[in-house]
Amino acid sequence: MSAYRRGELGPVVCVVGARPNFMKMAPILRALAARQPTLPTLLVHTGQHYDRDMNDRLFEDLRLPLPDINLEVGSGSHAVQTAEVMRRFEPVVDERQPSCVLVVGDVNSTLACTLVAVKKGIPVVHVEAGLRSYDRSMPEEVNRVLTDQVADRLYTTERSAADNLAREGIAADRVHFVGNVMIDSLLDNRPLARAPAATLGAAGADPELIAGPAGYGLITLHRPSNVDKVAVLAAILGALRDISATLPLVFALHPRTRKSIEGFALWPLLDTRRIVVLPPQGYLEMLGLMANARLVLTDSGGVQEETTALGVPCLTLRENTERPITVEQGTNTLVGNDGAAIRREVAAILAGRSKSGCLPERWDGRAAERIVDDLASWLPGRLAVA
């Protein structure tokens, strides 16, 4: 019988698996540690993203404690990776007897650990619940929908998420609007962000390239819909090359994107000194690059939120977003992956026609505190009636 079934307060098992999870979990762990009386915690890293150097760097940048357990799952197809996380996570649940399993975001590890916990009668807490792109071709969308259906406590980043959950039949008393823990991390680490010139210098690039009055644009690109088809990726890179003639660009290159560029022989499109290609960067380096950019081009969900919080114009190379508040209230504009549309929207920003945006409700750096306060009052009640 689990500790939850016995009415004991076992550890809150906090799960991270991929880079975006680290930024979301760091403020939650700090809030859990700061609360008196503290809630016992256990940090489990599934190893879904397994670059050891990048992991160590992110944990250091975010001042995250090292994981108590690393499942070291590694890469694989969606089915293989999800199944392997489940297989390795189940013995942890059996041994540690958690009072709940807390998952963040929408990666495969989120769903896998949720399924293990639910089947063992352990409450699941989902941070960043209710976000929807309504695009089931995105694996993350499937992970979000399924996790929310079985989670016991759902913490949302924006009010529209509650409407999404209500349409899916999820009771309102399971949902709690707390704000955005990604922004907790951003605000906490903004003073520590690395200067862009230092980041470029460390990578062997010329910092003077981005020192001019025009500033620079920052690029992140990794989604299969943008990088797995040669025609789509060539159109995007061609647009970036054209844009770089007016605005220098810094391209933090994801391993998946690098592999596609090499496989499709598209490096000539980036063969200009006006585009600085960097390897994957640490959190503080990326924060500095984002905060000081003239604009950001991305297909990342988290970057849409971070640029809104920073007040930096963002062009999202997707047809939809699960974070509509960044478009409705923030600095984000959806442009898809059409080269002409990308060029047109960049030109508009450079001409001074960009969104000013505002900081959404409860994106104030205190979302993690609200989560922990609610969890501390809700969890004992669940245990009492178990």
Side-chain angles (χ1 to χ4, degrees):
M1 180 179 291
S2 72
Y4 172 67
R5 295 291 188 191
R6 293 195 304 268
E8 300 171 5
L9 192 62
V12 176
V13 171
C14 300
V15 176
V16 294
R19 179 185 172 111
N21 295 166
F22 302 156
M23 284 83 91
K24 296 164 189 173
M25 193 62 75
I28 296 171
L29 289 171
R30 278 195 286 275
L32 284 165
R35 196 180 191 283
Q36 296 297 329
T38 60
L39 293 172
T41 61
L42 183 80
L43 179 59
V44 175
H45 184 2
T46 67
Q48 179 178 328
H49 281 186
Y50 55 92
D51 184 310
R52 192 172 300 277
D53 290 337
M54 284 302 295
N55 278 345
D56 292 347
R57 194 169 172 187
L58 280 168
F59 275 88
E60 180 181 350
D61 284 352
L62 293 163
R63 289 160 286 145
L64 265 169
L66 291 176
D68 298 293
I69 296 172
N70 191 328
L71 303 181
E72 299 183 338
V73 167
S75 63
S77 70
H78 288 287
V80 167
Q81 194 174 64
T82 302
E84 191 62 19
V85 172
M86 293 181 69
R87 188 181 73 82
R88 298 191 187 195
F89 185 60
E90 184 176 37
V92 174
V93 171
D94 289 340
E95 178 184 353
R96 299 305 180 105
Q97 301 290 289
S99 58
C100 70
V101 171
L102 188 152
V103 295
V104 295
D106 51 24
V107 300
N108 288 339
S109 297
T110 299
L111 176 60
C113 293
T114 293
L115 291 173
V116 170
V118 165
K119 287 175 179 291
K120 290 191 170 287
I122 306 298
V124 172
V125 175
H126 186 203
V127 175
E128 200 183 71
L131 297 181
R132 296 290 183 270
S133 67
Y134 292 99
D135 180 0
R136 293 290 179 91
S137 69
M138 295 175 62
E140 298 91 343
E141 181 78 356
V142 176
N143 292 342
R144 286 189 285 264
V145 170
L146 296 179
T147 298
D148 285 342
Q149 278 296 318
V150 295
D152 297 271
R153 199 65 167 166
L154 297 94
Y155 294 120
T156 60
T157 62
E158 56 185 82
R159 289 197 182 275
S160 67
D163 298 330
N164 296 334
L165 295 169
R167 280 192 291 270
E168 293 169 9
I170 294 171
D173 62 2
R174 290 163 56 192
V175 181
H176 192 56
F177 173 46
V178 295
N180 195 330
V181 291
M182 280 279 282
I183 308 309
D184 288 15
S185 273
L186 185 147
L187 296 176
D188 189 46
N189 288 285
R190 178 75 186 272
L192 305 175
R194 306 268 161 77
T199 298
L200 265 63
D206 182 6
E208 290 301 313
L209 179 65
I210 64 170
Y216 65 91
L218 176 65
I219 309 158
T220 78
L221 197 66
H222 74 283
R223 291 197 178 274
S225 58
N226 284 329
V227 306
D228 284 2
K229 295 180 180 178
V230 61
V232 174
L233 183 56
I236 293 172
L237 297 182
L240 296 178
R241 185 180 178 91
D242 292 345
I243 291 163
S244 72
T246 304
L247 181 72
L249 298 176
V250 177
F251 196 165
L253 197 58
H254 190 279
R256 183 188 192 108
T257 310
R258 178 179 290 276
K259 182 178 179 181
S260 291
I261 291 171
E262 291 172 349
F264 298 146
L266 295 177
W267 277 116
L269 291 173
L270 298 177
D271 186 18
T272 167
R273 68 174 298 273
R274 301 278 294 176
I275 301 178
V276 178
V277 177
L278 300 179
Q281 296 295 298
Y283 178 70
L284 297 179
E285 285 83 3
M286 282 301 295
L287 182 52
L289 287 168
M290 272 192 294
N292 292 280
R294 181 79 178 273
L295 59 86
V296 175
L297 298 107
T298 190
D299 55 12
S300 161
V303 171
Q304 296 172 53
E305 296 175 327
E306 291 168 323
T307 48
T308 280
L310 292 166
V312 174
C314 178
L315 299 179
T316 296
L317 278 63
R318 289 169 49 187
E319 300 294 338
N320 52 56
T321 179
E322 65 283 354
R323 294 162 167 87
I325 200 167
T326 65
V327 176
E328 296 161 2
Q329 297 183 25
T331 59
N332 187 25
T333 300
L334 298 178
V335 295
N337 53 26
D338 175 71
I342 296 168
R343 293 181 186 91
R344 183 175 61 251
E345 293 298 332
V346 168
I349 292 172
L350 296 181
R353 300 191 300 274
S354 60
K355 292 181 177 180
S356 57
C358 65
L359 195 65
E361 183 183 7
R362 295 191 182 176
W363 289 26
D364 56 2
R366 299 186 60 193
E369 294 176 29
R370 287 188 280 266
I371 288 169
V372 171
D373 285 346
D374 181 77
L375 191 62
S377 61
W378 170 78
L379 194 54
R382 284 299 304 260
L383 293 172
V385 298

